[in-house]
Amino acid sequence: MTAHPTLAHVVRTLEALYLPSTAEGWDAVGLVTGDPAQPVRKILFAVDPVATVADEAIEWGADLIVTHHPLFLRPVHSIAATTFKGSLVHRLVRAGVGLYVAHTNADAAPRGVADALADAIGLVDRSPLVPAPSAPDGGAYPVETGIGRVGRLEEPTTLRAFAQRVAAALPATEQGVRVAGDLDAAVSTVAVVGGSGDSLFDAVRSAGADVYVTADLRHHPASELRERAEFEGGAAGGPFLVDVAHFASEWPWLRYAAADLTERLADAGTVETRVSVRRTDPWTARIGSAPRA
């Protein structure tokens, strides 16, 4: 008879990979649904806990979904099936599918979201953009722990060629890749943050990055960063900006998570994993602006 780990064992393993203590204070990580005693045979990895991912999990016969984004980041007062989130929870519970979230703790972890994004675009000699603070017990986290990564390209290139590399490395989305800066400028040092990253502009500047890859860049912070860069260094002054879709910036981590969890569970029994390729980016079309006469 084939042995399978329990959900409790899988959760302990996930928490060893993605330490809950490294999650931001506002975050909501950990087990959302599931019986700790149930055996886990199939695990589906996805960015978002949305209906199409639940469909895939149930159709495939998954026992657990591991997502990056939380289902309940903000408090709710009901999980009745009359609400869209409540309905999702009821579907998962009826099908015996657990849900586990690794969010900002997966952002910070070695081989987490930031490392996966850095690898996808070819960064070497890298370190955390914002190293993790001391652990709650006063100890130290592994030196690779922290938000974002900053490193270098093996060979300098132009901003245009680098942006094209980023577009080719990440899942296709309607947004594509937006760029701020001189496309012919040379770039070598790169900072990356998966997900929304315009709160970290000061860290990017302090790191001396030529270009910053992140998602969800807003008009005013981006405009001010580029105005300051041009004031201090001219039109060719960095950091330049490469803005990608939020979903696309975090999706590469799923393969790392699936591989690392499978390896660590090898002694506990057989587990089959799958990385969802269903695009859960919410944008479905982009209409280009008509050129003015």
Side-chain angles (χ1 to χ4, degrees):
M1 183 176 178
T2 303
H4 304 284
T6 64
L7 178 57
H9 188 102
V10 174
V11 168
R12 287 194 299 272
T13 306
L14 285 164
E15 291 183 346
L17 285 167
Y18 312 112
L19 302 174
S21 58
T22 63
E24 298 292 327
W26 48 263
D27 206 358
V29 302
L31 189 63
V32 180
T33 67
D35 178 353
Q38 76 181 66
V40 176
R41 295 155 295 186
K42 293 184 175 182
I43 305 174
L44 178 68
F45 291 81
V47 174
D48 296 293
V50 292
T52 188
V53 170
D55 291 343
E56 181 178 5
I58 293 168
E59 290 164 8
W60 183 49
D63 304 294
L64 177 64
I65 305 171
V66 175
T67 65
H68 183 51
H69 290 146
L71 179 62
F72 297 116
L73 187 57
R74 295 179 178 84
V76 298
H77 302 289
S78 169
I79 57 167
T82 52
T83 66
F84 75 96
K85 290 190 177 183
S87 175
L88 183 66
V89 169
H90 280 260
R91 287 186 64 206
L92 295 178
V93 170
R94 284 197 300 268
V97 181
L99 174 63
Y100 184 91
V101 173
H103 192 209
T104 53
N105 50 330
D107 289 333
R111 284 181 57 83
V113 172
D115 275 330
L117 177 56
D119 281 341
I121 62 178
L123 296 193
V124 298
D125 299 334
R126 61 181 183 259
S127 58
L129 179 65
V130 181
S134 298
D137 61 2
Y141 292 118
V143 295
E144 308 96 329
T145 307
I147 298 299
R149 296 294 183 265
V150 59
R152 63 174 181 85
L153 301 171
E154 290 189 338
E155 296 290 341
T157 188
T158 64
L159 179 60
R160 183 195 312 273
F162 175 72
Q164 291 169 340
R165 175 193 297 193
V166 172
L170 299 182
T173 61
E174 295 306 321
Q175 172 182 319
V177 173
R178 301 189 300 175
V179 184
D182 179 357
L183 293 177
D184 294 322
V187 297
S188 178
T189 303
V190 182
V192 302
V193 167
S196 305
D198 61 16
S199 65
L200 295 169
F201 280 166
D202 287 344
V204 172
R205 290 182 55 81
S206 296
D210 299 319
V211 59
Y212 180 34
V213 181
T214 189
D216 294 343
L217 292 183
R218 296 169 294 165
H219 173 88
H220 291 296
S223 175
E224 291 184 2
L225 179 86
R226 289 301 306 143
E227 286 290 303
R228 180 177 178 182
E230 292 187 7
F231 176 78
E232 295 178 352
F240 306 116
L241 299 174
V242 173
D243 181 41
V244 304
H246 192 122
F247 160 82
S249 72
E250 296 171 332
W251 187 87
W253 165 70
L254 302 178
R255 295 190 185 279
Y256 281 32
D260 293 346
L261 183 61
T262 299
E263 180 182 0
R264 293 210 179 190
L265 289 174
D267 293 337
T270 301
V271 172
E272 184 179 355
T273 60
R274 173 192 285 189
V275 171
S276 177
V277 296
R278 298 193 181 189
R279 196 176 78 176
T280 56
D281 183 75
W283 304 107
T284 58
R286 178 170 61 88
I287 310 301
S289 301
R292 292 185 179 274

